[in-house]
Amino acid sequence: MKLNKLENKNRRIRKKLYLGEFALLGFEVSCVTKFKDFDQYDVFVDEFIDYINSIDLCFCGGGLELFEGFVCSVERYHSATAEEQLLVANWLDSRSEVSKVEISELLDANYL
């Protein structure tokens, strides 16, 4: 089955395969950090996850010197938005221990 052809799939199949109007969009996050120890890193990750959860998103990833991962919505059939991308980018930019924040364009979370 060719996933890139939508015209030969009915609504039920598109929904099952998360295609077309049912695609789940998210974005990649990457930033350089200046952590000296794991205690600082743990505090940062806890605060980041709390913030992500507060705007109904979820995050999968990590890393000490290069913190990176993928952000998407916690709700089924709901995509992350450009506004949420900006919120996450601004939160990371406001942190003193973070530099060089990069946020990708919206990507299909199921077919990366």
Side-chain angles (χ1 to χ4, degrees):
M1 179 184 304
K2 293 183 180 177
L3 295 177
N4 59 352
K5 292 186 77 179
L6 295 178
E7 59 272 356
N8 65 346
K9 293 170 187 61
N10 64 32
R11 179 178 165 82
R12 183 180 64 81
I13 296 298
R14 289 193 313 272
K15 188 172 183 178
K16 279 186 166 198
L17 297 175
Y18 294 93
L19 295 172
E21 69 270 31
F22 300 106
L24 299 179
L25 303 178
F27 55 94
E28 294 175 336
V29 174
S30 176
C31 61
V32 176
T33 61
K34 305 172 199 167
F35 296 113
K36 303 291 184 226
D37 61 34
F38 285 106
D39 291 334
Q40 291 176 319
Y41 175 73
D42 287 341
V43 169
F44 169 77
V45 170
D46 288 344
E47 291 174 358
F48 182 68
I49 296 300
D50 288 343
Y51 179 72
I52 291 292
N53 288 339
S54 74
I55 55 175
D56 293 328
L57 297 175
C58 61
F59 173 78
C60 178
L64 188 60
E65 293 174 2
L66 180 62
F67 185 75
E68 58 187 353
F70 192 80
V71 177
C72 61
S73 177
V74 296
E75 296 180 37
R76 188 174 188 183
Y77 302 119
H78 185 268
S79 292
T81 64
E83 181 180 296
E84 291 166 335
Q85 283 178 295
L86 186 59
L87 289 172
V88 172
N90 288 340
W91 189 90
L92 288 169
D93 278 332
S94 71
R95 303 293 296 216
S96 62
E97 63 270 73
V98 172
S99 63
K100 195 177 175 191
V101 175
E102 293 180 12
I103 305 288
S104 75
E105 62 188 37
L106 291 173
L107 306 167
D108 190 331
N110 289 300
Y111 300 99
L112 287 176

